[in-house]
Every structure is written in structure tokens, then in C-alpha cells.
Amino acid sequence: MTLARQAQSTLLRLSQAFRVVAITGPRQSGKTTLAQLCFPEKPYLSLEDLDVRHRAQADPRGFLAQFPQGAVLDEVQRLPDLLSYLQGVVDQRQRMGDFVLTGSEQFGLRAGISQSLAGRVAHIELLPLSLKELARTRQFQDLASKPSGPNQALMHWMWQGSYPALYAGQAGASEESMAAPNDWYAQFLATYVQRDVRQITGVQDLAAFERFVLLCAGRCGQLLNMSSLASDAGVSANTAKHWISVLQASYIIRLLEPWHENFGKRLVKMPKLYFLDTGLLCHLLRIESPAALAQHALRGAVFESWVLAETLKHRLNQGFRPDIYFWRDNHGTEVDLLYPQGDLLYPVEIKSGQTFSPDWLSAIDKFRRYAGTKAGPGAVVYGGEESFSFKEQAIYSWQVLGQG
């Protein structure tokens, strides 16, 4: 049985209001499976297939005419010129949900869609499995049923990561049927660097790029000082900036931007760097096991990345804009996550510790004093097992992220 995705209802809803739906996201995040699950009646074609791509390139109008009820076109960024012809077809038919497009490489697909299909297409970004989706897997259920020490399950999910292939894409998959995370991530990185980075983005010095990615992993959860990163990597500031954009566009990293309103305080302007999959992050940091992660110096940064990714998945799967920020003044007072809702700003602190400390609320209290009536109630997400309230602030166990 294929593992259901939370984005399924959003994709079906959008297909009823737009002629074309485009699913973007990182390689191996489950885009093709989601498209085929939602539209089993539509023919599926991958433009990675040379024969399919040659047919579409030689006669684009004739190629599209083969699908009177539409189709799922996978890896469509491989042939961006096809999008111009697709515009004419969907305009003539005036039918909602006619074609479904998927793509791993955001540069080509976004640019082509913006030029050719503006106003006709809805976008959905699909990240790897959320904690709520993982809860349906056999591995999650087996681990949850075993007696374990505090935080063992959390360390396991952060270390293994959330790419569907690591769970065999099956709700009932056993642990024996799944790839070992270290082996899988090694192959994932090799494919990403050799195929996407070299062939699509034009990066020439692959060894230097790989070192750059390792340096980014060591800076996870920190303010991104581009000059320092470029110097340590031995490349120019412009090269570092380009490579950061490559990592962003291929959904390897996420730059969390600072909130711009200063409330009378000077604020930092640099973004913070996070990885969108903590399994990949652990692999890059050479963390060999969940037990090693529990003792690692960057455990807190890994946990921050994990909470950020889960927050993004929750929003994107519902079709919401990923409007989340952080707040930090020039004295170093920082709120890890800040999200606007209506007229209010809601501050969230992220702590990997298992034992709550009232000190964790100090940054939230300062922010709320500065923001005044614009501040909503604060919250803490931490690595412990219990959720409760403390001085009118919500204290959430990490497990709550699997329930939203």
C-alpha cells in the first residue's frame, strides 16, 4: 500500500481551479508517486526518458494531442520549450486539472512556467515525509511500541531523515526492506552533484562544491556570513552566493530570513542557514547513529532544522505560503521562529533539551515587550515528552508536530 501524503487533498483542490498543476520539490521527495496517486487515470510520461523527450521535441503539438484527457508530465524542466505549446492546448480546452507537471530542479521549471503558463497554473511544493506521514509507517509504529530511553525516537527520526525511499514508500514496509541511511544519502549526494549540479546548473569544480556543502552543514542554525563562508571555502563571494542559490533552488537548504520590523531595536539583516532534511545533514556531519546524534555538539542545530522543516511541510502541504521568519536584535536576543497570522506575530523558541527551563522564555518575553500589541502568545517546542502551559505560554513536546 502506497503511503498517503498530506498534500493529496491540496493537490486535488487546486486541480479543480487551475488548468495546470505543477509539483516541485527536491529529488526523491515523492512527487511522481503523489501525481500518480491523485490522477491514476491520466497517462504518465517522464521527460527523463530520451525516447519520450525526442518525440516531444520533434513534434510538440502532435505529442500533446495524444492526450485528450491530459497527462502527468514528469521532469518537465528537461524540455522547457514544451510549456509554450502546452499553453495553447490548455487555453483551447478550457478544462481544469488538464495537465500535471512535476520537476526536481526549481530554476528551469519555475522560469518556464512564469513565462508560458502564468495565470493558468497552481504550484505545490512537496518536501519529504512529515512526522505525521511517518507515523503511518511500520518502522515508526515498531519503534513507538518498544521500551526506549528518553528522546531515542526523536534522535532516530532526525538521524534517519524523511525521504520516502528510506521507508520503501510503503505504509507497511518492514525495517529489513529499507535502505541503510548512510548508503542511501551517499548515493543521493553523488546523483545530486553529478547530475543536477554539473549538468543543470553549470557548476564546474565539483570537488570545491562538495567541500562548500560540508561547510554549510557545519554552519547549520547560524547566521549566514557569506564573506566568511566564501573565504573558508576558498571561492569568491559571488561564487559562494551562486552556490547558495543552487542549494536553495534544489531544496537542500533553506535560508530563514529575519523579520524586518524593528520595534525601535536595531536588527540583524543576515539570514540563518538550515537544511531541509536532517538525515542528509547528519550524513554530511558524519554522525553515524542516533546515539551519536544525542551526544553531538550540533544536536541543537539539527533539532532546529528538523522543527523548521516540519513547520514548512505543514504549511506547504496545506497550500499555504511558507511565511516564517526569525527575530534577532543587535544584542543577540533571538526568537527562533516568528510567524505572522492576521495582525499578530507569534514567537516560537526551539530547544532540543528534554527538561524544560523557565529561562527558555526570556527571548519570547523580550520580543513581546518590544512588539507590544503586535505580539501573539509565545510557544516553545522542545525535545521532551510532555506538553503543558507555563505562565500562559504553551510548551510543546516535539511529538505534537506529528499531530498537526
Side-chain angles (χ1 to χ4, degrees), residues 334-351:
E334 180 178 305
V335 173
D336 295 320
L337 282 182
L338 191 68
Y339 65 95
Q341 187 171 321
D343 296 328
L344 297 179
L345 297 166
Y346 292 83
V348 179
E349 277 287 88
I350 304 171
K351 301 294 184 182

Side-chain angles (χ1 to χ4, degrees), residues 269-291:
K269 296 182 179 180
M270 290 184 289
K272 293 179 71 175
L273 187 153
Y274 290 101
F275 276 69
L276 283 173
D277 185 77
T278 55
L280 176 60
L281 175 59
C282 288
H283 178 77
L284 291 167
L285 292 172
R286 306 295 190 258
I287 299 175
E288 299 295 331
S289 68

Side-chain angles (χ1 to χ4, degrees), residues 159-178:
W159 175 78
Q160 179 156 320
S162 53
Y163 279 93
L166 293 166
Y167 302 86
Q170 303 294 321
S174 64
E175 189 167 351
E176 292 75 15
S177 70
M178 294 175 289

Side-chain angles (χ1 to χ4, degrees), residues 116-135:
S116 303
L117 294 170
R120 303 164 180 85
V121 61
H123 298 271
I124 185 168
E125 293 181 87
L126 185 71
L127 297 181
L129 298 168
S130 67
L131 184 62
K132 186 173 183 179
E133 291 165 340
L134 286 173

